Amino acid sequence: MRKVAICAPATPLKRKYAEAVSQLAADEFPDIELTFHEQCFVEEGHFAGRDEVRLAALLECANDPAFDAVWFAKGGYGSNRIAADFIGRAQKAAGEKTYVGYSDLGFVLGALYRAGIGKPVHAPMPVDMKREGGDAAIRRTLAWMCGDDGGLEPRLSEKPVAAFNLYTLAMMAGTQFMPNLEGHELLIEEVGEYEYAIDRLLFHLAENLPALAGIRLGEVTAVPENDRPFGANPEEIVRYWCERYGIEYLGRAAIGHTAANRIVPFGLEG
Amino acid sequence: MRKVAICAPATPLKRKYAEAVSQLAADEFPDIELTFHEQCFVEEGHFAGRDEVRLAALLECANDPAFDAVWFAKGGYGSNRIAADFIGRAQKAAGEKTYVGYSDLGFVLGALYRAGIGKPVHAPMPVDMKREGGDAAIRRTLAWMCGDDGGLEPRLSEKPVAAFNLYTLAMMAGTQFMPNLEGHELLIEEVGEYEYAIDRLLFHLAENLPALAGIRLGEVTAVPENDRPFGANPEEIVRYWCERYGIEYLGRAAIGHTAANRIVPFGLEG
């Protein structure tokens, strides 16, 4: 990948993070040319612009044959609202690109994967620059774009794989965007959810998922303190539902809402 | 209804609320005999006892022909974990009962409705005694059990109806418990969720629901303040998704996590 277009299908990016990412890329990855779409910085209520504005920017980036990849600036929530129109209006050039992001962007990555358009990749985003050690996360994605596989999740097997935020995947179940994950190793991570909510989301997924090759659990961070302890930690919760529904629990994965978040190309790419 | 068994398929009830409800019933509804199962007061981590303990109490109450109704003590989370075994082991006497509750108990009410077992009813629960004005909520359910229809949601039409907590219904979609709501007026309410989360849950439901007669929005309470305004209030969010998916928006409903929560018998009972 050489030419990378950046847009924000969910929430807006602060300009200072775009500048910091551009500087890091210019200093260390001279072969990569990053183009931040101005839509990244639009703010309208919760979103980086209205649905039409975010959709237009995403289509511009994806359908422009001059770009090799689309990198999503930031998650937060909202890409589901434009994913159907995006898939419906994706042109030939969109199918030849790599799409890079995570968290809420799982809606777009999942929809692309289902539609067989381009190469969806779970990986750090420009917004990760704000984290402590976030430069390492940015460097990981940029190095991978340059062909360096050192930032891949190290436990990728010979089976097809996909990586999602748990809540995002749960909301995708049964929708027009849900990819067929049969036979996949599914990597999940979560941030900011109560343990009882994690339990409930796993119930929903266990009921809705096809036969997987197994589940790996990434990081579960910023779990709020409830008025009483749940009685099981996130890994125990995942083990419970895996055992109950006959899903193989494969252990941990190095993905999550932290600077350590690793790269997971969907399918057999890894 | 004369003899009512009370159990807690999700989280435990404080004994003082059971005592207050029993006192109110003894004082004002002498025809009703309330039996609080001791399991209501069991605490184990998040739950009112382990799955086996909650399941056993629910089956005892439901399968005992001496009782006319099962009243759920409190929501909170957890009834989904025992709903399958409950439905699978429900006996003839269970089919002749009325089941009364809301919130997390939507999992059980929905599962019963799908299985055609008994009469599921959305209504205030003993835990509502803790609210300001909660005695009125308890009185509403008890009066309805005595045949007084004054506490029914006033806008029930000639169409079949069902009432759910939004998040609970979203988690039920696609599962073995999801009832067929085709042609129904669907009443939804929510508590304690961010507006962006409400938006996301409605996306999930709009994608998963069959053709409804329409949606009514109950109360949406305790919405946390996000780091920035969402840009639409809960009713505007519901209108957005209804318009987008061709669902008729029918206006407001008097259900919710408040003392004003009205009674909604599922189906054509109202």
Side-chain angles (χ1 to χ4, degrees):
Chain A
M1 275 146 264
R2 213 179 64 79
K3 300 189 79 173
V4 178
I6 301 166
C7 62
T11 63
L13 184 69
K14 289 213 170 80
R15 206 174 282 272
K16 65 179 174 182
Y17 298 127
E19 288 165 358
V21 169
S22 294
Q23 190 62 56
L24 189 156
D27 291 347
E28 303 180 29
F29 300 90
D31 289 347
I32 289 190
E33 187 183 312
L34 300 182
T35 304
F36 280 89
H37 196 294
E38 270 301 303
Q39 175 269 328
C40 291
F41 315 114
V42 175
E43 293 197 35
E44 183 154 341
H46 184 87
F47 303 109
R50 303 171 65 84
D51 289 354
E52 310 81 76
V53 171
R54 304 197 314 284
L55 173 64
L58 175 56
L59 285 167
E60 265 181 60
C61 295
N63 287 336
D64 186 339
F67 294 113
D68 304 308
V70 178
W71 196 11
F72 301 121
K74 185 171 186 265
Y77 174 67
S79 67
N80 58 319
R81 294 168 59 121
I82 61 171
D85 285 336
F86 167 54
I87 296 295
R89 291 161 65 181
Q91 297 168 3
K92 185 164 175 293
E96 291 155 2
K97 284 189 177 56
T98 301
Y99 297 85
V100 183
Y102 71 107
S103 192
D104 182 74
L105 275 307
F107 286 121
V108 176
L109 299 178
L112 286 164
Y113 194 51
R114 173 173 175 146
I117 297 172
K119 298 181 180 178
V121 178
H122 168 107
M125 299 185 287
V127 70
D128 287 306
M129 196 55 141
K130 77 177 179 187
R131 300 187 191 280
E132 193 173 325
D135 54 329
I138 300 302
R139 211 170 269 121
R140 196 176 303 125
T141 297
L142 292 172
W144 180 79
M145 287 173 170
C146 291
D148 177 351
D149 279 351
L152 289 180
E153 152 63 46
R155 300 171 204 83
L156 299 180
S157 74
E158 77 292 349
K159 303 234 176 77
V161 66
F164 289 98
N165 170 263
L166 171 61
Y167 201 147
T168 303
L169 182 60
M171 292 295 97
M172 200 155 34
T175 74
Q176 60 184 302
F177 309 128
M178 185 69 174
N180 182 0
L181 298 177
E182 194 173 338
H184 282 59
E185 290 191 2
L186 173 62
L187 279 55
I188 51 174
E189 56 83 28
E190 192 50 276
V191 61
E193 296 292 334
Y194 289 106
E195 279 140 344
Y196 73 80
I198 292 170
D199 198 79
R200 190 165 50 182
L201 291 165
L202 282 163
F203 153 75
H204 184 61
L205 275 183
E207 281 275 331
N208 276 284
L209 284 170
L212 301 173
I215 285 180
R216 279 191 184 282
L217 178 63
E219 293 192 70
V220 180
T221 51
V223 177
E225 195 169 343
N226 202 2
D227 51 5
R228 61 188 180 286
F230 183 73
N233 66 36
E235 185 169 19
E236 289 166 339
I237 294 170
V238 172
R239 284 182 184 277
Y240 170 90
W241 289 105
C242 280
E243 189 176 330
R244 188 162 164 174
Y245 280 78
I247 302 166
E248 193 171 354
Y249 177 64
L250 302 167
R252 302 307 296 254
I255 64 166
H257 278 66
T258 75
N261 189 23
R262 293 289 194 115
I263 293 164
V264 183
F266 283 28
L268 288 165
E269 271 252 7
Chain B
M1 274 145 263
R2 214 179 62 78
K3 300 188 78 172
V4 179
I6 301 166
C7 61
T11 63
L13 184 70
K14 289 212 170 80
R15 206 174 281 270
K16 64 179 175 182
Y17 298 126
E19 287 164 359
V21 168
S22 295
Q23 191 62 55
L24 190 155
D27 291 347
E28 303 181 30
F29 301 90
D31 289 347
I32 289 191
E33 187 184 311
L34 299 181
T35 304
F36 280 89
H37 195 294
E38 271 300 304
Q39 175 269 326
C40 290
F41 315 114
V42 175
E43 293 198 35
E44 183 154 341
H46 183 88
F47 303 109
R50 304 172 63 85
D51 289 353
E52 310 82 77
V53 171
R54 305 197 313 284
L55 173 64
L58 176 56
L59 284 167
E60 264 182 60
C61 294
N63 287 336
D64 187 340
F67 293 114
D68 305 307
V70 178
W71 195 11
F72 301 120
K74 185 170 186 265
Y77 174 66
S79 67
N80 58 320
R81 294 169 57 122
I82 61 171
D85 285 335
F86 167 54
I87 296 297
R89 291 160 64 181
Q91 297 168 3
K92 184 164 176 295
E96 291 154 4
K97 282 188 178 58
T98 301
Y99 297 85
V100 184
Y102 71 107
S103 192
D104 182 73
L105 276 307
F107 286 120
V108 176
L109 298 178
L112 287 164
Y113 195 50
R114 171 171 175 148
I117 297 172
K119 299 182 180 178
V121 179
H122 167 108
M125 299 185 288
V127 69
D128 287 305
M129 196 55 139
K130 76 177 181 186
R131 299 187 191 281
E132 193 172 327
D135 55 329
I138 300 301
R139 212 170 268 121
R140 197 175 303 126
T141 297
L142 293 172
W144 180 80
M145 287 174 171
C146 291
D148 177 352
D149 279 351
L152 289 180
E153 152 63 44
R155 301 170 202 84
L156 299 180
S157 74
E158 77 294 347
K159 304 235 177 77
V161 67
F164 289 99
N165 170 263
L166 171 61
Y167 202 146
T168 303
L169 183 60
M171 292 295 97
M172 200 154 35
T175 74
Q176 61 185 302
F177 309 127
M178 185 69 174
N180 182 0
L181 298 176
E182 195 172 339
H184 282 58
E185 291 191 1
L186 173 62
L187 280 54
I188 51 175
E189 56 83 28
E190 192 49 276
V191 60
E193 296 292 334
Y194 288 105
E195 280 140 343
Y196 73 80
I198 292 170
D199 197 81
R200 190 165 49 182
L201 291 164
L202 283 163
F203 153 76
H204 184 61
L205 275 183
E207 282 274 331
N208 276 284
L209 285 170
L212 301 172
I215 286 179
R216 279 191 184 282
L217 178 63
E219 293 193 71
V220 180
T221 51
V223 177
E225 194 170 341
N226 202 2
D227 50 5
R228 62 189 179 287
F230 183 72
N233 66 35
E235 185 169 19
E236 289 166 339
I237 294 170
V238 172
R239 284 183 184 277
Y240 170 90
W241 288 104
C242 281
E243 190 177 328
R244 187 162 165 173
Y245 280 77
I247 302 165
E248 193 171 355
Y249 177 64
L250 301 167
R252 302 306 297 252
I255 64 165
H257 278 66
T258 75
N261 189 24
R262 293 289 193 116
I263 293 164
V264 182
F266 283 29
L268 288 165
E269 271 250 8

